[in-house]
Amino acid sequence: MRFDDMTKIAITLLLLLLGWSLLIPIFEGPDESGHYCHAEYIARNRRLPNFNVRDGCFLAYPPAYYALVAPIIAFRPAAKFDDDQIQTNPAYISNRKGKDVFSKYIHPRPELVFKWNPLLQTAHLVRLLSVAMGLGIILLTIKSAKLLPKFSWLPYASVLLFFNPMFLHTFSLVTNVTLASFLAAVFIYLHLKQEKDGFSSRLALAQGIFLGLGVLTKINMLSLVLGYLTVLATAGWERSKKIRNLIFAGTGFLLSAGWYIWRTFRLYGEPFEINIASSLRGASMTRMQDMGLINYWSSFPDTLFRTFWSGYGLNKVWLPDIIVVGLLILTLLTLLGFFSFYRRLPRLLKVSWYYVVAVLLGHAVINIKTEAFNAKDIFTAYLPLTLILSFGARNFIAEARKNGFLTRKRLLIIFGLSVIFYAKFEIVRLIKTTFQLTELLSNSFTSEQVDAVSVLLRLLLKAIAILIIIFSLKFIIKTINLNLKTYKITIALLALFNLLILFYSSFKLYFAFL
């Protein structure tokens, strides 16, 4: 495949990013209005907010993203976040899966035909920054994959995950997630570069600077520190080089983030504002008490996986469960392909895995302090995750075509996890009514018993659907020809799928105002 083909793929992804940015109504992304409002606060007041003083509209986040956005807003004084330019939809019901109302704000007919007022124009300009950051992560991922020239297919495989509609949706919104994820990608790329070429004081210093800028954007960037220390501890470098790397990275971090850590300590009595943020946004302990400890943490991986692929708008438009469970099965097969070759993996892929684990652990810790279930908060690991899944998919496909991959044990693991994911409500309901089934042999049917049987039938149908998906994937992988033509068809189908999701989401969010 020529480089021109990769350029065409990058352009396709850029066009899709622009499409999502253009067609999703303004402020219909998670906290999008709050992020814009925070930047407007800085633009109008020319200072950072004090989270202890509610003297305006802002979120409890560090300032880097908003400081980057503020000049655009300041340049357009006619754009004001007020009732004259944007109105809240009174029928909106938060935290519902679009069953009643999809849009938080009213979107009148002029907006539908791109006749935007100054506020909407400015918000669309700000969204272009997110598009640029999304494209930056894509290009950095390709560069990272090229650090492994032995695997010439890796750059082309790694771009496939960027056709995830949720990635394109997130990187077309006004949100600090985009800057944090881009800075994380730069930080991880610099580490991968050093792992390949050797220690560099210049790159280590740059790593620290980008990490500091990341912490100035979103507190979850601190989770990368665990990945960094793990990679450094397991590196084959001399001890002196490890210490020098740590010193240079630490210096860079203090240069970029030291002033804000000192400011935060002076204002709030702690180096990071996580406790302030949790008090303003609502601590997870409240939801944990409502749901119960077991239900809270059992729903954590479920919600994380669903929102990785779906939940467009304000988590209002969702993919059908059957599609999500298909993605789960494909992900599990890919991870099995990755871990079955773990000992033989190149060092750079193990480094990628360390960072993915660090981000996931950090996300779990943050959820102890404040509720943050949405998967956009783990997009800081998107670059290494694409490399891991690409390599796992390649190994899985190669082994599956030899009939030696899907053993009985692996099939049971995938089947069991998929059933728990897809039919968890039926399983819980069935457990609660199991004792009633024993009465079917001796007593006449009751409404409760009929309900138990219907639950059992639904569980059985879902189990059959899962088996059909598993063996269909196995059949497709064994029979399809893996060549350039197949790859291009796959890219075209993924792009088409994105357009369908985009148009459907846009329709749902605009429907009430047509």
Side-chain angles (χ1 to χ4, degrees):
M1 181 176 285
R2 302 184 310 277
F3 180 77
D4 287 346
D5 295 311
M6 183 59 73
T7 303
K8 291 176 183 177
I9 294 171
I11 292 173
T12 300
L13 287 166
L14 174 60
L15 292 175
L16 286 170
L17 282 166
L18 291 171
W20 277 92
S21 174
L22 184 67
L23 295 180
I24 295 299
I26 289 295
F27 303 141
E28 295 299 343
D31 294 330
E32 191 176 22
S33 58
H35 290 300
Y36 183 92
C37 201
H38 191 144
E40 186 181 72
Y41 178 97
I42 295 175
R44 306 300 181 218
N45 295 282
R46 298 184 179 182
R47 62 179 173 82
L48 302 181
N50 181 339
F51 296 150
N52 288 326
V53 181
R54 300 301 294 181
D55 60 346
C57 175
F58 52 80
L59 301 175
Y61 286 121
Y65 175 76
Y66 311 108
L68 181 66
V69 169
I72 300 175
I73 298 175
F75 185 70
R76 297 180 58 82
K80 295 181 180 180
F81 190 87
D82 57 27
D83 291 339
D84 291 332
Q85 298 191 42
I86 191 75
Q87 294 84 38
T88 304
N89 185 356
Y92 176 78
I93 302 173
S94 184
N95 295 324
R96 295 282 301 274
K97 288 189 178 182
K99 292 180 179 179
D100 300 300
V101 179
F102 287 86
S103 298
K104 183 177 180 179
Y105 293 92
I106 294 173
H107 303 284
R109 288 186 178 273
E111 182 182 344
L112 305 184
V113 293
F114 310 122
K115 294 180 179 179
W116 301 325
N117 62 39
L119 175 64
L120 300 182
Q121 292 173 8
T122 306
H124 274 289
L125 286 175
V126 174
R127 279 184 170 186
L128 292 179
L129 284 176
S130 295
V131 170
M133 292 169 199
L135 182 62
I137 295 176
I138 293 167
L139 298 177
L140 281 169
T141 300
I142 295 171
K143 286 178 67 69
S144 299
K146 289 182 176 180
L147 294 175
L148 290 161
K150 181 180 177 182
F151 306 99
S152 58
W153 51 266
L154 190 56
Y156 307 106
S158 64
V159 297
L160 294 177
L161 192 60
F162 290 107
F163 286 91
N164 171 13
M166 201 61 191
F167 174 87
L168 297 170
H169 176 51
T170 300
F171 283 84
S172 64
L173 301 174
V174 179
T175 171
N176 62 353
V177 169
T178 58
L179 179 59
S181 301
F182 173 73
L183 293 170
V186 176
F187 176 83
I188 294 170
Y189 169 74
L190 293 175
H191 211 159
L192 293 172
K193 181 74 172 171
Q194 290 182 82
E195 280 289 331
K196 181 178 184 295
D197 299 337
F199 166 71
S200 166
S201 57
R202 179 175 59 86
L203 293 183
L205 181 66
Q207 259 195 292
I209 291 173
F210 281 106
L211 179 64
L213 292 173
V215 172
L216 283 177
T217 305
K218 201 166 171 61
I219 194 67
N220 67 339
M221 280 287 290
L222 283 174
S223 62
L224 294 180
V225 175
L226 175 60
Y228 167 77
L229 293 175
T230 304
V231 174
L232 196 63
T234 57
W237 298 347
E238 298 174 359
R239 184 179 179 183
S240 60
K241 288 185 177 180
K242 293 182 180 181
I243 294 174
R244 287 169 61 198
N245 188 287
L246 193 60
I247 291 173
F248 276 99
T251 301
F253 177 81
L254 291 175
L255 285 173
S256 58
W259 69 272
Y260 186 72
I261 294 173
W262 174 243
R263 176 185 183 272
T264 303
F265 186 79
R266 288 181 58 197
L267 286 176
Y268 315 123
E270 53 188 73
F272 304 106
E273 67 284 293
I274 183 66
N275 288 323
I276 300 296
S278 63
S279 66
L280 292 177
R281 292 199 298 268
S284 64
M285 194 59 67
T286 302
R287 183 172 177 178
M288 194 182 298
Q289 290 172 346
D290 292 340
M291 296 178 62
L293 188 63
I294 295 176
N295 287 336
Y296 181 82
W297 285 110
S298 64
S299 67
F300 178 71
D302 178 286
T303 306
L304 201 62
F305 186 81
R306 289 179 186 275
T307 55
F308 186 87
W309 303 102
S310 185
Y312 318 111
L314 284 159
N315 292 332
K316 287 289 187 176
V317 185
W318 298 86
L319 290 174
D321 280 353
I322 191 65
I323 294 179
V324 179
V325 78
L327 290 168
L328 174 65
I329 292 168
L330 197 57
T331 303
L332 292 173
L333 290 170
T334 300
L335 289 175
L336 283 175
F338 176 78
F339 287 113
S340 62
F341 286 83
Y342 187 80
R343 292 184 179 181
R344 289 174 280 171
L345 287 177
R347 167 69 179 169
L348 265 62
L349 287 170
K350 291 184 178 179
V351 168
S352 298
W353 172 243
Y354 296 151
Y355 274 113
V356 170
V357 172
V359 168
L360 290 173
L361 289 175
H363 189 60
V365 170
I366 286 175
N367 271 276
I368 296 175
K369 297 294 296 182
T370 183
E371 183 186 330
F373 273 25
N374 200 297
K376 62 183 173 59
D377 293 316
I378 65 168
F379 279 9
T380 47
Y382 214 91
L383 185 154
L385 188 61
T386 59
L387 300 179
I388 287 171
L389 294 180
S390 298
F391 205 87
R394 175 78 176 197
N395 290 335
F396 151 61
I397 291 171
E399 289 300 307
R401 292 170 76 88
K402 298 177 184 177
N403 292 319
F405 182 81
L406 199 58
T407 61
R408 185 177 300 176
K409 181 179 179 181
R410 289 174 175 174
L411 176 61
L412 287 174
I413 291 172
I414 294 171
F415 176 75
L417 290 175
S418 300
V419 168
I420 292 172
F421 177 85
Y422 189 31
K424 63 179 181 180
F425 294 112
E426 284 82 3
I427 293 172
V428 172
R429 187 72 173 272
L430 194 60
I431 291 173
K432 291 180 178 180
T433 58
T434 296
F435 72 95
Q436 296 173 343
L437 294 176
T438 59
E439 300 177 10
L440 293 176
L441 298 175
S442 54
N443 299 330
S444 59
F445 284 98
T446 65
S447 60
E448 291 81 7
Q449 292 166 349
V450 171
D451 182 62
V453 173
S454 67
V455 169
L456 184 60
L457 288 174
R458 289 200 303 270
L459 177 59
L460 181 61
L461 289 174
K462 289 188 173 184
I464 292 172
I466 288 170
L467 288 175
I468 290 173
I469 293 173
I470 292 173
F471 287 105
S472 296
L473 285 172
K474 181 180 178 181
F475 174 78
I476 292 171
I477 289 168
K478 286 185 65 176
T479 56
I480 197 170
N481 291 321
L482 298 179
N483 51 33
L484 178 59
K485 182 179 179 180
T486 302
Y487 180 80
K488 290 183 176 180
I489 291 174
T490 302
I491 292 292
L493 290 175
L494 289 172
L496 179 60
F497 176 72
N498 262 282
L499 289 175
L500 291 173
I501 296 299
L502 170 58
F503 291 142
Y504 178 74
S505 300
S506 181
F507 173 77
K508 283 291 186 181
L509 293 169
Y510 276 126
F511 175 74
F513 315 105
L514 294 176

